[in-house]
Amino acid sequence: MKKLIWSFVFVLSFFLLPITATHAASHEQQLVKEIKEVIKNTYVGTIDGDLKSATSISEIIDMLDPYSTYFTEQEFEDYMNSINLATIGIGVVIEEHNDGILIKDVIEGSGAFEADVQAGDIIIAINGKSIAGSSVQEASSSLLGNEDTQVKITLKHNDETISTKTITRKKFALPNIQSELLFGNVGYIAMASFSEDGAQLVKKALLDLKQRGATSFILDLQNNGGGYVTTAEELTGLFPSAKVAYLLEEAHGTYTIPAAHQDAKFPANTRILVNRYSASASEMLAASLQDQKAAILYGETTYGKGAMQGFYTLQDGSYLKLTVGKFTGPDQKAIHEVGVKPNIQTTAAPIFQAHFDALKEQYPKYKKLSNVKNSTNTQKLTIKIPSLLTSQIAKGHIQLVALGANEVSASAKVTGNSIIVTPTNPLSLDQEYMLFIHPNAHSKVQKGYYQHIKITS
């Protein structure tokens, strides 16, 4: 009997298929017959050619959709590792530097971590060869390798001293989740992949941020190419009004897949960020939450991969990845080759608008000074204010906030009918800001105001 295992992006098919290969056929012909039988029973899609007459694996794969493919055992392992952000190397996050390669972060439990390599160290040589002027890709090819092999790196430390360490390569996983508490107690969670433990990592970040005071949330799925379908089901369960994970159309029927129960929940006003590279399981989650009004989507229309693949083990230990169904959200709107259109489409980074809306929601009685103001001046902002407000401004409080981040240190003064805001450090180009004029706590008549500001180059 064949065993169907979970695919990363979209597995949900549980057919047990008989082995049809005969002992008399060649090895590839055995696989060809086996693959044809799997396709006959489970494939959902167009077959571009005569499957019966195909005599090789590559010929068969060419007839299928671009998401169906064949993996050797090693290729399958590499693919698994890529979804779980796992690889084999010394365990560092790096970027280019004039002197070599700068270590930005060291992964806990990695070979570099055990060798006491520190963030801020600069790799200047690998196996005795200088890497000054090398790209990240060139350095990575030398740092990665087979498990339990060793590589010698020469480091320049912050105090300008030099040391050489021999590090054993180990399997490690890059961080999948990044989280931060933004201004206004807005919790931000970015998810790189729907890894096997992805929902548990998001849940942990959610609870940690709530403990730190977060009252609203932004979940960033930009550039997230998908992963385990079970992770999508578990993530859907983190949203209180989402009861359905997705609808699945397979070769033998259509099914409603429920969200997995979770004891922790995002608030109802959670904002989801997506872009054109949000695909597969990311689109599954986005569509489900949008259809059930469980979250608000920001960004641009997603990639459009609404097809689900299953992995089938073949008799020699290789694998067939095959499209076995198509999925939609509960409203049955097409996703495949269409994508998911966000509730609020943005041309700039969607984090700016999402954070702006989250903050505006916190101050429902505040009035907008004017429409979005564009500025090219990074040293000083001049904001027009109502004439009636000029006499009261000294009694209030002014805050400048970098959207997607935190408060910016700045001074302010009133000149005529304008506020002149001078940041301690120059503002960032192509960044967006929000200016608050808070009312005096003791005033019963003064109103609060806000202004959305874009710094353009």
Side-chain angles (χ1 to χ4, degrees), residues 91-328:
V92 292
V93 179
I94 59 178
E95 71 176 26
E96 293 171 15
H97 188 277
N98 290 336
D99 297 333
I101 295 294
L102 174 66
I103 296 175
K104 295 287 292 181
D105 196 14
V106 179
I107 308 302
E108 187 173 353
S110 66
F113 181 85
E114 293 176 352
D116 198 31
V117 175
Q118 300 293 318
D121 288 346
I122 299 170
I123 304 174
I124 59 175
I126 299 176
N127 290 328
K129 182 180 179 181
S130 172
I131 60 167
S134 295
S135 67
V136 167
Q137 291 76 18
E138 290 169 331
S140 293
S141 66
S142 298
L143 297 174
L144 300 176
N146 294 326
E147 194 167 7
D148 295 326
T149 60
Q150 293 184 326
V151 60
K152 186 180 294 183
I153 63 171
T154 303
L155 300 167
K156 183 166 77 172
H157 306 289
N158 287 329
D159 61 3
E160 299 296 319
T161 60
I162 306 294
S163 70
T164 299
K165 298 177 183 286
T166 299
I167 300 176
T168 300
R169 296 182 177 98
K170 299 172 61 176
K171 181 179 287 188
F172 70 94
L174 294 170
N176 186 14
I177 302 296
Q178 291 181 312
S179 63
E180 184 179 356
L181 188 63
L182 308 181
F183 178 86
N185 290 326
V186 179
Y188 170 82
I189 302 172
M191 185 183 190
S193 173
F194 278 52
S195 61
E196 191 171 14
D197 60 351
Q200 288 73 33
L201 295 174
V202 170
K203 179 179 176 180
K204 181 179 183 302
L206 168 66
L207 295 175
D208 288 348
L209 286 166
K210 281 187 174 181
Q211 286 187 339
R212 293 170 58 189
T215 55
S216 61
F217 285 85
I218 297 170
L219 177 61
D220 193 345
L221 300 180
Q222 294 178 96
N223 305 310
N224 186 318
Y228 286 87
V229 70
T230 49
T231 300
E233 295 165 16
E234 292 165 0
L235 285 169
T236 309
L238 291 171
F239 293 82
S241 62
K243 307 304 181 185
V244 175
Y246 54 94
L247 304 185
L248 175 62
E249 179 186 348
E250 287 185 323
H252 301 284
T254 300
Y255 310 93
T256 299
I257 310 302
H261 173 73
Q262 300 283 2
D263 55 7
K265 302 290 183 181
F266 279 100
N269 62 348
T270 297
R271 293 164 169 87
I272 309 291
L273 310 185
V274 294
N275 66 2
R276 70 191 69 181
Y277 303 113
S278 303
S280 303
S282 294
E283 297 175 282
M284 177 185 287
L285 178 63
S288 178
L289 297 180
Q290 185 182 60
D291 286 355
Q292 297 174 92
K293 296 179 174 56
I296 309 164
L297 269 57
Y298 287 72
E300 57 185 355
T301 300
T302 61
Y303 184 82
K305 184 177 184 295
M308 178 179 290
Q309 283 72 48
F311 275 96
Y312 295 85
T313 54
L314 304 176
Q315 62 179 353
D316 67 343
S318 59
Y319 297 84
L320 178 65
K321 179 162 77 83
L322 195 66
T323 296
V324 295
K326 293 182 179 180
F327 63 85
T328 68

Side-chain angles (χ1 to χ4, degrees), residues 12 35 182 192 204 214 270 334 351 393 426:
L12 264 194
I35 289 170
L182 308 181
K204 181 179 183 302
T270 297
I351 182 66
I393 200 73

